[in-house]
Amino acid sequence: MLFNSYAFIFLFLPVTLLGFQLIGNRGHCRVAVSWLIGASLFFYGWWNPAYLGLILTSILFNYAVGVSLGSRPAKTVLVVGIAANLGLLGYFKYANFFVDNINALTGSDIVLERIILPLAISFFTFQQITYLVDTYRGETQECDFLRYCLFVTFFPQLIAGPIVHHREMMPQFAKDTFCRLKAKHLAVGLTIFSVGLFKKVILADGIAVYSTPVFDAAEAGVILTFVDAWCGALAFTFQLYFDFSGYSDMAIGLGRMFGIILPVNFFSPYKASNIIEFWRRWHITLSRFARDYLYIPLGGNRKGTLLRFANLMITMLLIGLWHGAGWTFVIWGGLHGSYLVINHGWHAIKKKIFLNTPTSATIWGHALGCMLTFIGVVMAWVIFRAESIDGATKMFEGMFGINGFLLPPNYLGYLNHLYGLGDFLAGRGWGFSEELEFFEGLVEAGSLLLLAFITFFAPNTLQWMQRYKPALGLEGFGIKRFNSRWVEWRPVTAWAIATITLAVLSLLSFTKVSEFLYFQF
């Protein structure tokens, strides 16, 4: 079941909320929690009921291991627990990839039926690994089975995150007021959900019609010109941005309707002025997991510069592989690992040059950093999106101008109004022709410019909602209050009308329901 579907919005969500409220108001909190667990399992099973057994087995196994670690921490038990979780994930996610590569390298003909990846297995596996590690470290002593089930299955964050920590959720589940819905929580949650729905249905799905044909053409071997290739790459860049941003908002909004504050998972990453900052803003809980349970255990930055860079590269390669069983994902992870190594190396050089003297970037320096980071991210997204290395190569050939430079013929006149820019480009090899396959003119350009303006200059949802603590972990982003209180969201008529408008526009656009891009991971 998708958040952006009529079945979810008009049936599942109101029934789940109503049942939770009626049971909770009668003082039966554990029954209300059981109701919410049952609803979450129904939500998960809607996709494929056969995999309900998988998630239930995973819950029972990890809870038992956690109880054992809580009573007597034993490293062997922890290793067995983590290995079992990773083994399950590896089988479903990487067995076909491993066999295909063995066959390609050795010429063998090992036959393995295609294994369907269970929805959300990456997320609930990582979430339970954090529980086991934290229990072993003595950071949690939770033994309530119902609350543990809800920790794993809570439907707002079950399918695609955020990857939550046990210590973030259990105190909220244990509150006496948890089972009683509040009007403020519903208002805040519905607003955030509506904004996220608009991002997904209107913005992300709207620009997808420009990105998908270009990448499909590249896979088919079609020769792409400079403008076509860049149009497709930028369209996917914004599609993924608003798709994941929309999902993150919707998850936070749904959690808030039940009085649960989820951790921030997405915070305007394209505004980052370097790649280090980008990864502090993009899929924040995955970055946190990789840092705390992979990078630091490998040694982090404690064993010298070379090992630090090696640890960064290993971490990013595994993050790439986590996103998908394919070499394009591995290369994407390696590319971001290289970006991070270069970025950290540059910071080390600056530190030596300025001898720890505080330096502050100018506005132009910050803008240049944002532009370079964005271009690097776009290049990496091409590899991420491509279905094969050949498809990515075709895209890069077009983006680097190897196949020529073409613009729609009507652009010649438009550009000549700008101090004769059209004739200037024509004299330097640019063509103005109707041979363009995908980029037809002002509609695509206007759509990309509008999304770029929203991305780089508009406040994000969490900044608008800052007065009501919309997510955990916002303190580290230094959110500043707006000069005018009218800009911040408040429970008043004007904002209610705006929220309803966004929701109605989104609902009227449900002509084709599409999955969130991160559902495939």
Side-chain angles (χ1 to χ4, degrees):
M1 190 182 302
L2 300 172
F3 292 166
N4 54 320
S5 66
Y6 290 125
F8 178 85
I9 292 174
F10 291 112
L11 288 176
F12 176 83
L13 182 58
V15 169
T16 302
L17 279 168
L18 182 61
F20 188 73
Q21 168 77 350
L22 292 176
I23 298 170
N25 278 349
R26 295 189 177 187
H28 306 301
C29 194
R30 292 186 67 80
V31 179
V33 169
S34 300
W35 166 266
L36 191 50
I37 293 169
S40 297
L41 289 172
F42 176 83
F43 173 80
Y44 183 80
W46 182 273
W47 172 72
N48 189 340
Y51 284 115
L52 276 172
L54 177 70
I55 191 172
L56 289 172
T57 301
S58 176
I59 289 171
L60 291 171
F61 172 79
N62 283 286
Y63 179 76
V65 174
V67 170
S68 175
L69 290 171
S71 59
R72 179 180 292 182
K75 194 169 186 177
T76 302
V77 175
L78 175 65
V79 170
V80 170
I82 293 175
N85 279 284
L86 294 180
L88 185 70
L89 177 63
Y91 170 74
F92 281 103
K93 197 163 186 176
Y94 304 108
N96 288 132
F97 176 66
F98 179 76
V99 169
D100 290 345
N101 280 278
I102 289 294
N103 288 339
L105 289 172
T106 64
S108 57
D109 191 25
I110 303 173
V111 177
L112 181 66
E113 292 186 7
R114 286 292 149 186
I115 300 170
I116 299 175
L117 181 67
L119 197 64
I121 188 171
S122 296
F123 291 93
F124 69 69
T125 298
F126 276 19
Q127 197 157 300
Q128 294 186 98
I129 287 175
T130 67
Y131 162 71
L132 297 183
V133 175
D134 289 350
T135 303
Y136 174 76
R137 292 172 177 173
E139 296 175 5
T140 178
Q141 296 294 328
E142 179 61 46
C143 292
D144 185 278
F145 181 65
L146 273 182
R147 285 203 290 266
Y148 180 77
C149 289
L150 187 58
F151 161 70
V152 178
T153 64
F154 189 45
F155 75 89
Q157 47 81 213
L158 171 62
I159 305 300
I163 301 170
V164 296
H165 273 294
H166 191 264
R167 59 180 175 269
E168 293 171 330
M169 305 302 291
M170 290 305 179
Q172 297 189 70
F173 293 154
K175 288 181 179 178
D176 294 336
T177 57
F178 168 52
C179 297
R180 295 177 177 84
L181 302 184
K182 293 183 179 180
K184 182 179 76 172
H185 289 322
L186 288 172
V188 172
L190 282 169
T191 300
I192 298 175
F193 180 85
S194 298
V195 173
L197 184 66
F198 182 83
K199 288 179 182 178
K200 165 60 179 171
V201 175
I202 303 297
L203 301 183
D205 290 352
I207 201 66
V209 299
Y210 302 127
S211 67
T212 302
V214 175
F215 279 93
D216 288 347
E219 293 296 334
V222 174
I223 295 176
L224 300 171
T225 60
F226 180 83
V227 175
D228 275 339
W230 271 101
C231 176
L234 289 172
F236 176 73
T237 297
F238 290 119
Q239 177 195 357
L240 183 59
Y241 180 93
F242 286 104
D243 190 279
F244 193 29
S245 177
Y247 171 84
S248 298
D249 285 350
M250 294 167 79
I252 287 174
L254 288 168
R256 189 58 175 266
M257 291 182 203
F258 292 90
I260 297 299
I261 302 177
L262 295 174
V264 58
N265 203 31
F266 191 94
F267 196 88
S268 300
Y270 291 171
K271 293 179 182 179
S273 59
N274 57 63
I275 206 68
I276 297 172
E277 186 184 354
F278 172 83
W279 277 103
R280 289 172 180 162
R281 293 167 172 260
W282 179 276
H283 211 324
I284 297 166
T285 57
L286 175 64
S287 299
R288 179 180 66 177
F289 177 91
R291 180 197 66 204
D292 294 345
Y293 300 97
L294 184 58
Y295 174 71
I296 292 176
L298 284 172
N301 58 0
R302 303 187 305 273
K303 298 182 179 180
T305 301
L306 290 179
L307 282 177
R308 178 192 189 186
F309 290 166
N311 294 336
L312 276 172
M313 185 61 73
I314 291 170
T315 300
M316 293 311 301
L317 285 170
L318 291 175
I319 284 179
L321 192 60
W322 176 86
H323 278 85
W327 287 110
T328 53
F329 292 108
V330 176
I331 295 170
W332 171 79
L335 184 57
H336 269 280
S338 301
Y339 288 166
L340 287 169
V341 167
I342 293 170
N343 201 174
H344 280 286
W346 171 242
H347 283 183
I349 292 171
K350 282 203 306 180
K351 188 176 180 180
K352 288 184 178 180
I353 291 175
F354 293 103
L355 300 176
N356 296 322
T357 301
T359 59
S360 57
T362 64
I363 293 177
W364 290 108
H366 180 80
L368 178 61
C370 288
M371 183 182 70
L372 292 175
T373 302
F374 181 72
I375 292 173
V377 169
V378 172
M379 292 293 183
W381 284 143
V382 170
I383 301 172
F384 183 90
R385 170 61 177 82
E387 297 176 13
S388 66
I389 296 173
D390 286 341
T393 301
K394 290 293 183 184
M395 285 291 297
F396 285 134
E397 287 175 355
M399 294 170 73
F400 290 131
I402 294 174
N403 300 325
F405 303 84
L406 287 179
L407 283 171
N410 57 332
Y411 269 53
L412 180 61
Y414 298 146
L415 293 173
N416 274 335
H417 287 301
L418 298 174
Y419 305 100
L421 183 57
D423 291 335
F424 175 82
L425 291 175
R428 282 156 181 78
W430 284 72
F432 293 85
S433 167
E434 295 182 354
E435 296 179 8
L436 280 165
E437 293 282 341
F438 308 101
F439 186 81
E440 298 180 358
L442 293 178
V443 175
E444 292 92 337
S447 298
L448 291 173
L449 286 173
L450 175 61
L451 295 183
F453 177 82
I454 295 172
T455 299
F456 292 109
F457 299 105
N460 61 46
T461 310
L462 302 181
Q463 289 172 308
W464 261 319
M465 306 294 296
Q466 61 183 285
R467 293 180 61 180
Y468 295 88
K469 193 180 180 182
L472 300 175
L474 289 176
E475 303 81 10
F477 294 100
I479 298 179
K480 297 179 180 179
R481 298 294 296 269
F482 295 106
N483 293 329
S484 172
R485 67 189 185 95
W486 296 104
V487 179
E488 292 180 347
W489 183 89
R490 292 175 299 130
V492 295
T493 303
W495 279 112
I497 293 173
T499 300
I500 292 170
T501 301
L502 293 180
V504 169
L505 289 174
S506 302
L507 291 171
L508 291 176
S509 299
F510 276 17
T511 54
K512 180 182 178 182
V513 177
S514 64
E515 287 189 356
F516 292 91
L517 296 178
Y518 259 79
F519 275 26
Q520 63 184 297
F521 307 134

